[in-house]
Amino acid sequence: MKELLEEPKGTTYKDLLEVAFSTCDEFLLVKRDQLDLNKNAKQWIEEIKPHIKEIRRQDAWPGTTLLGHYADVYYFNCNQELKEVLIRKTERLYQWLQPELLEDICFFKNGKEWLATVAHEQIGVIMTEDENEIEKIRGIKGIKMS
């Protein structure tokens, strides 16, 4: 399954995060060099700092390739505490945009892309061949894929 997502919001978004966190082992968020962060975003980064596994300088991540620019890509392990932090901070999938937040949340399962987003373009893609995962995703009330 490789399906485009119509933006999940509210309970649908929270249920998608539940499935992502129960399925995946890692996720990333991006801070682009050419875009500033506002005060709220900087405070939020301080809040999640203890959970940051690694920050890499990259010019590409799932769904995005920069030309002549770089970004700090923040990597995190999926865990219950971080899931709750994300649920408190956001109400929809394509809300992950600078300057208010970090960008382009992406989830990985065993090193492979599972959910990739390009928030500015409102693109989200789920990639899985696991029938149980597909069933869980399709069972999310309000989820719309094409």
Side-chain angles (χ1 to χ4, degrees), residues 130-145:
D130 184 297
E131 292 299 325
N132 289 330
E133 294 169 15
I134 293 168
E135 191 174 312
K136 284 181 188 177
I137 294 161
R138 289 192 173 139
I140 297 171
K141 186 175 185 204
I143 200 84
K144 294 180 183 163
M145 299 179 286

Side-chain angles (χ1 to χ4, degrees), residues 11-24 78-80 83-84 86-87 107 114 136-137 140:
T11 303
T12 303
Y13 169 65
K14 290 175 183 167
D15 291 347
L16 177 61
L17 283 181
E18 287 284 346
V19 173
F21 272 85
S22 67
T23 302
C24 299
C78 289
N79 63 50
Q80 185 68 27
K83 180 186 74 177
E84 296 301 325
L86 298 186
I87 287 172
F107 285 86
W114 189 86
K136 284 181 188 177
I137 294 161
I140 297 171

